[in-house]
Amino acid sequence: MTYVRKVRTASGAVAVQVARKHRGRVEIIEHLGSAHTDAELGVLLARARRIVDGEQGVLDLEVSTRIARVDEVADWRPEPERTAAASVAPAGRTLGTSSRLLYDVLGAVYDRLGFDEVGDTVFRDLVIARIVEPTSKADSARVLDDLGADTVSYKTIQRHLAAAVTRDYRNIVATRCFARAATSGDLSLILYDVTTLYFEAEKEDDLRKVGYSKERRVDPQIVVGLLVDRTGFPLEIGCFEGNTAETTTIVPIVRRFQQRHGLDDTEMVVAADAGMLSASNLTDLDAAGVKFIVGSRVTKAPGDLASHFHWHGDLFTDGQIIDTITPRHGRSTVNNVRTRAEPVWDPATHPNGWRAVWQYSRKRAVRDAQTLNLQEARARAVIDGTKPAKATRFVTVTTKGRRLDTASIERARSLIGLKGYVSNLPVSVMDSRDIIAKYHDLWHVEQSFRMSKTDLRARPMFHRTRDAIEAHLTIVFAALAVAREVQDHTGLAIGNVVKQLRPLRTSTIVINGATESFPPQIPAAQQRILADLGFVGY
């Protein structure tokens, strides 16, 4: 039997040993040191208990059943020797503190997702650092040092970034993400969106180019497409040249996702916003066997709802849904105003059209009316000269000057409250309310993008080569998966979890020649976070 042994030494100190009884004899397995104070004794006993219990984790001083003191150990020496001055070890010192708890928690989630299959501890640490404090790769060493991780040089980081591309880490991460979504998520609906990431660079190159920016930036940028499941868990990421039209990105991303996971013959439903609405996109998705739900532009409503406007004017009831047909091409005519009933789309009988679902909402109408009133007021101010002249909706410029486009305003007012959706899903497969409900799940992909650009700060980027950019996106992709996993289990934003766990510091001290690390006392709120993540060991 292995046990912890405390014996008094000739100097008066208390030696702590791990011993074993074998055939009536005591065998010393390891001598851990001698303690002169209660604190030193506690450190040595903690080390001994770890050996006896076979634990490999961080020590926990609370495992003892009672407090051990030096005075409690029998002193066999004569009284004169007992009172003689004994050598005293230097006072204990704190070597440092770290947020090792947070590091271990995020590492456990990373491994649970199966990303440890990458087999690269530096990549793993860069993913964790990206979640905790997004910063440059050169500054990641500081973040990792604060987390209690082993740090490496910047040149080593660069070598591992190169390996992320040559060894195709993204394929491993994407495969594990797909496996997670397939077992605990929902792959019946895939969501897609795009964003732009800009660079702190002055010149363009083959990838980084000046393109359309919602923020009206003129910096070189790239276009990034992100595919997620209906909960927002990432499945695929890809980048394109900065001047690439957003509408041309969805098909390559979806096809890459199909090929990576052998889904070429599997029907899947992809939802995307109106920015993906183009004739070629929808045709290509349909040809690839992908079912789609894409937001429609309100300007298409007069054509799609021609029959309704002909028979009922612009009157709608709150929540009213009209299931009809929209032309595949601008030159096509698929609706007949002489027929009061809306046609039911069928791919065989309507080869020149797609299914269109329109819904009217009174709440949306109020919001649209407010926006329209503001736009009209601005247009009038531009015409009156009280606002600077620039491209403004409802302002028409003629040879006689600027005038208010009243016809466009009236047409816009007749369409307020309407929201449209285009799909190649027949009514027999999915009814109109399900079409609308699935499209509304798109907020999850928008949330993931916001997370990547705020909590994970995917931008701005300082990389110059395409390989470095791809490696950076792979890190962001893996970090987004870990962050979503944490959020899904705790119900808390990843920034909130980091904020709560990072202040819980592990202390490393040296005392009596022994160096030990001691975990923090964990309050109840943070214990709930650990429990939600299934994390034990502290």
Side-chain angles (χ1 to χ4, degrees), residues 178-217:
F178 178 81
R180 184 269 190 191
T183 55
S184 59
D186 185 358
L187 289 173
S188 63
L189 178 69
I190 307 298
L191 312 174
Y192 180 77
D193 203 357
V194 295
T195 191
T196 54
L197 301 180
Y198 66 87
F199 292 79
E200 296 293 336
E202 296 180 357
K203 296 181 180 180
E204 296 180 301
D205 53 32
D206 292 340
L207 178 61
R208 302 176 299 172
K209 294 183 179 295
V210 176
Y212 171 73
S213 171
K214 295 177 182 178
E215 301 171 357
R216 303 183 183 278
R217 301 184 67 96

Side-chain angles (χ1 to χ4, degrees), residues 476-494:
V476 172
F477 183 43
L480 181 57
V482 173
R484 292 296 311 201
E485 183 78 357
V486 171
Q487 177 174 302
D488 291 347
H489 280 80
T490 64
L492 302 174
I494 185 63

Side-chain angles (χ1 to χ4, degrees), residues 1-69:
M1 180 184 69
T2 303
Y3 65 100
V4 179
R5 185 168 181 256
K6 303 187 293 290
V7 295
R8 185 75 67 169
T9 67
S11 66
V14 174
V16 177
Q17 302 167 338
V18 176
R20 176 174 56 203
K21 287 186 177 179
H22 181 65
R23 295 182 178 179
R25 297 175 57 188
V26 175
E27 297 180 358
I28 305 301
I29 297 176
E30 185 170 351
H31 179 82
L32 299 171
S34 300
H36 297 84
T37 66
D38 294 342
E40 295 171 356
L41 181 59
V43 171
L44 296 178
L45 289 175
R47 293 182 65 193
R49 283 193 296 271
R50 184 174 64 182
I51 296 173
V52 171
D53 296 339
E55 296 178 359
Q56 301 301 317
V58 180
L59 290 179
D60 187 346
L61 287 179
E62 296 177 354
V63 300
S64 59
T65 56
R66 64 184 184 88
I67 297 174
R69 301 189 185 281

